[in-house]
């Protein structure tokens, strides 16, 4: 293994791979329906990386120190035979954790074969448990009960962890913080609250819609007592809390109010094989072109090494100093 570090001395450990750019939802904070309509040009099948190409890349990344893979999208469960990819990746030396982020709509039927293939952990997005609001927040596509049933199935399965991602927006779903927690209190399902982020340029992000984690904690403490837990590992994105009088854990991902760039060891690959070294990147590196144009793996390896060793991203720490980020990558392209 040839472990590499970036310019800020951060290793590369975590690779997030978008396997699908399209989605069966149109969440307004990610893929607003008016901008992602029937005329929107998503990738053609042949433009997406194939499973063998993904496998090839992951082998290289594993050699540089990556041990965790997260499959995401768009909606990753729209990708056919995803279990086959999981099986390939699970067999790669050095990869010891495979996770999936999904909206959960297509999960229940696929869950057993994903687990059989080696899936370790799952994150399911759930912004509300109000049926009408859920439908609205999915861009009039999602059925809440289907997702709740899938969460129950995941919770009862052998997965190592089941976490829910709730993006909180002021005046939209902040009244759902307590009901969501109440539903999953005393279970093994961790509810995580994510600050609404200024990813991409299409989601009409406004600072006034962000509700920061301190406000969320205040809302929670109006009903239950909670206390912080120490991080599981260096570079953990979520800050963890537990109830004092109940079982269960709560997480906070506070990219806006409490950036965590100092320990960021994540790289992201889009469905068409572009490498991004930051969620807010406006530079991309086309790995697919290299994979498809040459049989020379050494060149691919050297390119990836060079990109990481020259990385100095820390967008969340310096966002207040930046103006006019017109070219930021959209969340659906790199999957959070
Ligand atoms: N479709 C899958 C899903 O929704 O779980 C995976 C891809 S989605 C882009 C990954 C995560 O990004 C989801 O949990 C979603 O809620 C989150 N997300 C999307 N747009 C966001 C934004 N503007 N701010 C914060 N989180 C966002
Ligand atoms: Fe689709 Fe996930 Fe984006 Fe919602 S957040 S539109 S489910 S990719
Ligand atoms: Fe990592 Fe970029 Fe997010 Fe900072 S802003 S934590 S560098 S992805």
């Amino acid at each position: 293994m040839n472990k590499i570090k970036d310019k800020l001395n951060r290793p590369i450990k975590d690779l997030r791979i978008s396997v699908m750019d399209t989605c069966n939802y149109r969440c307004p904070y990610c893929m607003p329906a008016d901008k992602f309509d029937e005329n929107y040009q998503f990738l053609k099948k042949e433009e997406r990386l194939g499973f063998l190409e993904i496998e090839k890349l992951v082998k290289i990344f594993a050699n540089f120190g990556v041990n965790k893979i997260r499959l995401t999208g768009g909606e990753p469960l729209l990708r056919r035979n995803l279990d086959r990819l999981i099986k390939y990746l699970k067999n790669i030396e050095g990869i010891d954790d495979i996770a999936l982020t999904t909206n959960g709509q297509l999960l229940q039927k696929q869950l057993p074969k994903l687990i059989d293939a080696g899936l370790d952990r799952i994150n399911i997005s759930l912004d509300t448990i109000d049926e009408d609001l859920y439908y609205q927040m999915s861009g009039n596509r999602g059925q809440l009960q289907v997702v709740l049933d899938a969460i129950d199935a995941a919770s009862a399965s052998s997965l190592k962890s089941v976490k829910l991602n709730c993006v909180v927006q002021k005046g939209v779903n902040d009244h759902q913080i307590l009901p969501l927690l109440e539903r999953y209190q005393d279970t093994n399902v961790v509810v995580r609250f994510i600050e609404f982020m200024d990813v991409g340029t299409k989601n009409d992000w406004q600072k006034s819609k962000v509700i920061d984690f301190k406000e969320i904690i205040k809302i929670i403490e109006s009903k239950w007592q909670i206390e912080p837990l120490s991080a599981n590992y260096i570079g953990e994105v979520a800050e963890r809390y537990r109830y004092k009088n109940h079982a269960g854990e709560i997480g906070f991902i506070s990219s806006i109010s409490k950036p965590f760039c100092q320990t960021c060891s994540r790289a992201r690959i889009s469905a068409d094989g572009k490498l991004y070294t930051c969620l807010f990147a406006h530079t991309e590196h086309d790995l697919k072109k290299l994979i498809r144009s040459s049989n020379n793996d050494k060149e691919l390896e050297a390119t990836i090494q060079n990109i990481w060793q020259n990385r100095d991203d820390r967008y969340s720490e310096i966002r207040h100093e930046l103006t006019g980020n017109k070219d930021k990558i959209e969340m659906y392209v790199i999957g959070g």
Side-chain angles (χ1 to χ4, degrees):
M1 196 183 294
N2 166 25
K3 289 196 179 180
I4 53 175
K5 290 195 171 167
D6 70 5
K7 279 190 163 170
L8 303 178
N9 208 28
R10 297 169 297 189
I12 183 166
K13 288 188 184 159
D14 185 335
L15 185 63
R16 302 184 171 199
I17 306 168
S18 169
V19 292
M20 201 62 175
D21 55 320
T22 60
C23 189
N24 48 349
Y25 281 14
R26 286 292 179 276
C27 309
Y29 57 61
C30 179
M31 296 175 83
D34 58 333
K35 299 193 177 93
F36 293 87
D37 59 14
E38 61 282 359
N39 298 319
Y40 192 85
Q41 287 293 312
F42 288 100
L43 296 172
K44 296 188 187 79
K45 188 169 178 257
E46 63 275 15
E47 290 174 315
R48 295 188 195 110
L49 287 185
F51 287 174
L52 295 180
E53 291 171 327
I54 295 176
E55 185 189 27
K56 180 184 249 191
L57 282 178
V58 172
K59 279 185 181 158
I60 295 174
F61 277 95
N63 188 43
F64 287 141
V66 165
N67 63 346
K68 286 166 73 174
I69 302 291
R70 174 168 298 281
L71 302 176
T72 177
E75 177 45 48
L77 295 181
L78 288 175
R79 182 81 187 238
R80 285 178 65 187
N81 302 321
L82 192 66
D83 57 311
R84 212 184 285 163
L85 177 65
I86 292 174
K87 220 174 256 172
Y88 290 162
L89 302 186
K90 191 74 181 187
N91 279 327
I92 295 175
E93 197 182 325
I95 300 300
D96 45 44
D97 189 86
I98 299 194
L100 176 76
T101 303
T102 170
N103 60 34
Q105 191 68 216
L106 303 170
L107 178 62
Q108 196 165 0
K109 199 168 149 214
Q110 297 193 37
L111 188 63
K113 60 179 183 180
L114 297 173
I115 295 175
D116 276 354
L119 184 69
D120 292 290
R121 298 180 297 118
I122 198 160
N123 289 6
I124 303 167
S125 300
L126 185 68
D127 297 328
T128 169
I129 53 165
D130 177 286
E131 206 171 325
D132 293 340
L133 183 59
Y134 186 87
Y135 186 65
Q136 188 190 319
M137 289 188 77
S138 67
N140 299 348
R141 312 263 173 134
Q143 303 299 322
L144 174 67
Q145 194 55 49
V146 174
V147 177
L148 295 180
D149 290 346
I151 294 169
D152 289 347
S155 161
S157 76
S158 58
L159 286 170
K160 288 184 200 139
S161 88
V162 181
K163 293 178 183 162
L164 306 183
N165 286 350
C166 171
V167 177
V168 189
Q169 293 173 83
K170 205 170 265 180
V172 177
N173 64 334
D174 44 346
H175 63 290
Q176 288 291 295
I177 294 170
L178 295 177
L180 253 167
L181 286 174
E182 191 145 35
R183 181 177 174 99
Y184 293 102
Q185 218 164 41
D186 299 309
T187 72
N188 59 353
V189 178
V190 176
V191 180
R192 309 191 314 165
F193 296 107
I194 303 177
E195 289 177 355
F196 178 34
M197 289 188 277
D198 50 336
V199 274
T201 52
K202 295 190 167 70
N203 67 1
D204 189 29
W205 184 84
Q206 292 155 23
K207 186 127 187 24
S208 60
K209 283 194 196 162
V210 177
I211 164 158
D212 79 27
F213 86 103
K214 284 191 197 132
E215 287 177 75
I216 300 177
I217 286 184
K218 244 188 232 158
I219 293 171
I220 298 172
E221 285 182 331
S222 70
K223 193 144 184 202
W224 301 291
Q225 288 183 306
I226 58 172
E227 61 190 3
L229 286 166
S230 50
N232 279 322
Y233 54 90
I234 295 171
E236 189 171 32
V237 173
E239 288 199 65
R240 302 159 60 230
Y241 278 67
R242 70 172 171 213
Y243 296 100
K244 283 191 178 166
N245 304 310
H246 287 274
E249 199 179 299
I250 308 168
F252 299 92
I253 301 180
S254 317
S255 157
I256 305 291
S257 65
K258 225 175 166 190
F260 34 78
C261 303
Q262 293 298 318
T263 54
C264 179
S265 52
R266 288 174 292 282
R268 295 172 164 88
I269 295 178
S270 62
D272 59 346
K274 303 218 169 74
L275 173 65
Y276 297 87
T277 55
C278 177
L279 192 49
F280 300 90
H282 31 107
T283 327
E284 57 191 33
H285 308 272
D286 192 348
L287 300 182
K288 184 180 74 181
K289 208 166 156 193
L290 261 181
I291 298 181
R292 293 191 181 172
S293 67
S294 108
N295 267 331
N296 185 352
D297 289 359
K298 289 282 166 232
E299 194 185 343
L300 190 57
E301 273 171 45
T303 304
I304 292 170
Q305 176 164 358
N306 188 36
I307 293 167
W308 191 261
Q309 287 178 333
N310 280 300
R311 171 187 191 242
D312 61 0
D313 304 289
R314 52 187 194 99
Y315 175 84
S316 285
E317 287 184 346
I318 56 171
R319 67 158 47 79
H320 59 281
E321 297 165 17
L322 303 171
T323 50
N325 275 287
K326 293 191 197 78
D327 309 324
K328 281 183 301 176
I329 190 71
E330 299 297 324
M331 190 68 133
Y332 83 92
V333 176
I334 46 176

Short mmCIF file of all heavy atoms in Angstrom, two decimals, residues 21-32 73-76 102-103 125 137-138 331-332 335, ligand 2:
data_model
loop_
_atom_site.label_atom_id
_atom_site.label_comp_id
_atom_site.label_asym_id
_atom_site.label_seq_id
_atom_site.Cartn_x
_atom_site.Cartn_y
_atom_site.Cartn_z
N ASP A 21 -26.81 9.11 -12.19
CA ASP A 21 -27.05 10.56 -12.09
C ASP A 21 -28.55 10.89 -12.05
O ASP A 21 -28.93 11.95 -11.57
CB ASP A 21 -26.40 11.29 -13.27
CG ASP A 21 -26.85 10.74 -14.61
OD1 ASP A 21 -27.00 9.51 -14.74
OD2 ASP A 21 -27.08 11.54 -15.54
N THR A 22 -29.39 9.98 -12.50
CA THR A 22 -30.82 10.29 -12.49
C THR A 22 -31.44 9.92 -11.15
O THR A 22 -30.81 9.28 -10.31
CB THR A 22 -31.56 9.49 -13.59
OG1 THR A 22 -31.37 8.11 -13.34
CG2 THR A 22 -31.04 9.82 -14.96
N CYS A 23 -32.69 10.34 -10.97
CA CYS A 23 -33.35 10.07 -9.70
C CYS A 23 -34.85 9.91 -9.91
O CYS A 23 -35.42 10.52 -10.82
CB CYS A 23 -33.08 11.20 -8.72
SG CYS A 23 -33.65 10.80 -7.05
N ASN A 24 -35.47 9.11 -9.06
CA ASN A 24 -36.93 8.96 -9.12
C ASN A 24 -37.64 10.03 -8.30
O ASN A 24 -38.86 10.07 -8.28
CB ASN A 24 -37.34 7.55 -8.66
CG ASN A 24 -36.68 7.14 -7.35
OD1 ASN A 24 -35.76 7.81 -6.88
ND2 ASN A 24 -37.11 6.05 -6.76
N TYR A 25 -36.88 10.90 -7.61
CA TYR A 25 -37.45 12.01 -6.86
C TYR A 25 -37.02 13.33 -7.52
O TYR A 25 -36.09 13.35 -8.33
CB TYR A 25 -36.93 12.03 -5.42
CG TYR A 25 -37.57 11.05 -4.46
CD1 TYR A 25 -38.36 10.00 -4.89
CD2 TYR A 25 -37.36 11.19 -3.08
CE1 TYR A 25 -38.92 9.11 -3.99
CE2 TYR A 25 -37.92 10.31 -2.17
CZ TYR A 25 -38.70 9.26 -2.62
OH TYR A 25 -39.24 8.39 -1.72
N ARG A 26 -37.66 14.39 -7.09
CA ARG A 26 -37.24 15.73 -7.49
C ARG A 26 -37.26 16.63 -6.24
O ARG A 26 -38.01 17.60 -6.17
CB ARG A 26 -38.18 16.31 -8.57
CG ARG A 26 -38.00 15.70 -9.95
CD ARG A 26 -36.65 16.06 -10.57
NE ARG A 26 -36.46 15.47 -11.89
CZ ARG A 26 -36.02 14.23 -12.12
NH1 ARG A 26 -35.72 13.43 -11.10
NH2 ARG A 26 -35.87 13.80 -13.34
N CYS A 27 -36.44 16.28 -5.24
CA CYS A 27 -36.40 17.08 -4.02
C CYS A 27 -35.99 18.51 -4.39
O CYS A 27 -34.96 18.69 -5.06
CB CYS A 27 -35.39 16.51 -3.04
SG CYS A 27 -35.60 14.75 -2.73
N PRO A 28 -36.77 19.52 -3.99
CA PRO A 28 -36.47 20.87 -4.42
C PRO A 28 -35.07 21.36 -4.00
O PRO A 28 -34.48 22.17 -4.69
CB PRO A 28 -37.56 21.71 -3.73
CG PRO A 28 -38.66 20.73 -3.45
CD PRO A 28 -38.00 19.41 -3.21
N TYR A 29 -34.53 20.81 -2.91
CA TYR A 29 -33.20 21.28 -2.48
C TYR A 29 -32.07 20.61 -3.25
O TYR A 29 -30.89 20.90 -3.02
CB TYR A 29 -33.00 21.13 -0.97
CG TYR A 29 -33.16 19.72 -0.42
CD1 TYR A 29 -32.35 18.67 -0.83
CD2 TYR A 29 -34.11 19.45 0.56
CE1 TYR A 29 -32.49 17.41 -0.31
CE2 TYR A 29 -34.26 18.17 1.10
CZ TYR A 29 -33.44 17.16 0.65
OH TYR A 29 -33.58 15.90 1.17
N CYS A 30 -32.42 19.69 -4.13
CA CYS A 30 -31.38 18.95 -4.85
C CYS A 30 -31.61 18.98 -6.36
O CYS A 30 -30.76 19.41 -7.11
CB CYS A 30 -31.35 17.52 -4.32
SG CYS A 30 -30.14 16.46 -5.11
N MET A 31 -32.79 18.50 -6.79
CA MET A 31 -33.11 18.46 -8.23
C MET A 31 -34.49 19.07 -8.46
O MET A 31 -35.44 18.34 -8.77
CB MET A 31 -33.12 17.01 -8.73
CG MET A 31 -31.79 16.32 -8.65
SD MET A 31 -31.92 14.57 -9.12
CE MET A 31 -31.82 14.70 -10.87
N PRO A 32 -34.62 20.39 -8.30
CA PRO A 32 -35.95 21.00 -8.44
C PRO A 32 -36.59 20.65 -9.79
O PRO A 32 -35.94 20.71 -10.84
CB PRO A 32 -35.67 22.50 -8.31
CG PRO A 32 -34.20 22.66 -8.33
CD PRO A 32 -33.57 21.36 -8.01
N GLY A 73 -25.93 8.60 -5.42
CA GLY A 73 -26.40 9.04 -6.73
C GLY A 73 -26.65 10.54 -6.69
O GLY A 73 -26.09 11.21 -5.82
N GLY A 74 -27.55 10.99 -7.47
CA GLY A 74 -28.82 10.46 -7.94
C GLY A 74 -29.35 9.36 -7.02
O GLY A 74 -29.04 9.34 -5.86
N GLU A 75 -30.15 8.50 -7.60
CA GLU A 75 -30.66 7.40 -6.78
C GLU A 75 -29.95 6.11 -7.17
O GLU A 75 -30.19 5.56 -8.26
CB GLU A 75 -32.18 7.30 -6.95
CG GLU A 75 -32.81 6.15 -6.19
CD GLU A 75 -32.30 5.99 -4.75
OE1 GLU A 75 -32.24 6.98 -4.01
OE2 GLU A 75 -31.94 4.86 -4.37
N PRO A 76 -29.07 5.62 -6.28
CA PRO A 76 -28.25 4.45 -6.63
C PRO A 76 -29.07 3.19 -6.90
O PRO A 76 -28.63 2.33 -7.66
CB PRO A 76 -27.35 4.27 -5.41
CG PRO A 76 -28.03 5.00 -4.30
CD PRO A 76 -28.77 6.12 -4.92
N THR A 102 -29.54 6.23 0.05
CA THR A 102 -30.69 6.07 -0.85
C THR A 102 -31.89 6.83 -0.30
O THR A 102 -31.98 7.07 0.91
CB THR A 102 -31.06 4.57 -0.99
OG1 THR A 102 -32.32 4.46 -1.67
CG2 THR A 102 -31.18 3.86 0.34
N ASN A 103 -32.82 7.15 -1.20
CA ASN A 103 -34.06 7.74 -0.69
C ASN A 103 -35.02 6.66 -0.19
O ASN A 103 -36.05 6.97 0.39
CB ASN A 103 -34.74 8.63 -1.74
CG ASN A 103 -35.12 7.87 -3.02
OD1 ASN A 103 -35.48 6.72 -2.98
ND2 ASN A 103 -35.06 8.56 -4.16
N SER A 125 -32.61 8.66 3.34
CA SER A 125 -32.99 10.06 3.52
C SER A 125 -34.45 10.14 3.94
O SER A 125 -35.32 9.50 3.34
CB SER A 125 -32.78 10.83 2.21
OG SER A 125 -31.41 10.75 1.88
N MET A 137 -42.01 17.17 -0.52
CA MET A 137 -40.55 17.33 -0.46
C MET A 137 -39.81 16.39 -1.41
O MET A 137 -38.61 16.56 -1.65
CB MET A 137 -40.03 17.15 0.97
CG MET A 137 -40.42 18.31 1.88
SD MET A 137 -39.63 18.21 3.49
CE MET A 137 -37.96 18.76 3.10
N SER A 138 -40.52 15.41 -1.93
CA SER A 138 -39.88 14.53 -2.91
C SER A 138 -40.21 15.00 -4.33
O SER A 138 -39.92 14.29 -5.30
CB SER A 138 -40.37 13.09 -2.72
OG SER A 138 -41.75 13.00 -3.05
N MET A 331 -25.41 18.57 -6.23
CA MET A 331 -25.41 17.46 -5.28
C MET A 331 -25.78 16.14 -5.95
O MET A 331 -25.22 15.09 -5.64
CB MET A 331 -26.41 17.77 -4.16
CG MET A 331 -26.35 16.83 -3.00
SD MET A 331 -24.81 17.03 -2.09
CE MET A 331 -25.40 17.11 -0.42
N TYR A 332 -26.72 16.18 -6.89
CA TYR A 332 -27.16 14.91 -7.49
C TYR A 332 -26.04 14.27 -8.31
O TYR A 332 -26.07 13.07 -8.58
CB TYR A 332 -28.42 15.13 -8.36
CG TYR A 332 -28.12 15.62 -9.75
CD1 TYR A 332 -27.96 14.73 -10.81
CD2 TYR A 332 -27.96 16.98 -10.00
CE1 TYR A 332 -27.66 15.18 -12.08
CE2 TYR A 332 -27.65 17.44 -11.26
CZ TYR A 332 -27.50 16.53 -12.30
OH TYR A 332 -27.19 16.98 -13.55
N GLY A 335 -23.60 13.20 -5.07
CA GLY A 335 -24.31 12.38 -4.09
C GLY A 335 -24.05 12.63 -2.62
O GLY A 335 -24.29 11.76 -1.80
FE1 LIG B 2 -32.91 12.41 -5.64
FE2 LIG B 2 -31.54 12.17 -3.40
FE3 LIG B 2 -31.47 14.45 -4.78
FE4 LIG B 2 -33.71 13.80 -3.55
S1 LIG B 2 -31.74 14.22 -2.58
S2 LIG B 2 -33.54 14.53 -5.65
S3 LIG B 2 -33.71 11.62 -3.69
S4 LIG B 2 -30.69 12.53 -5.46
#
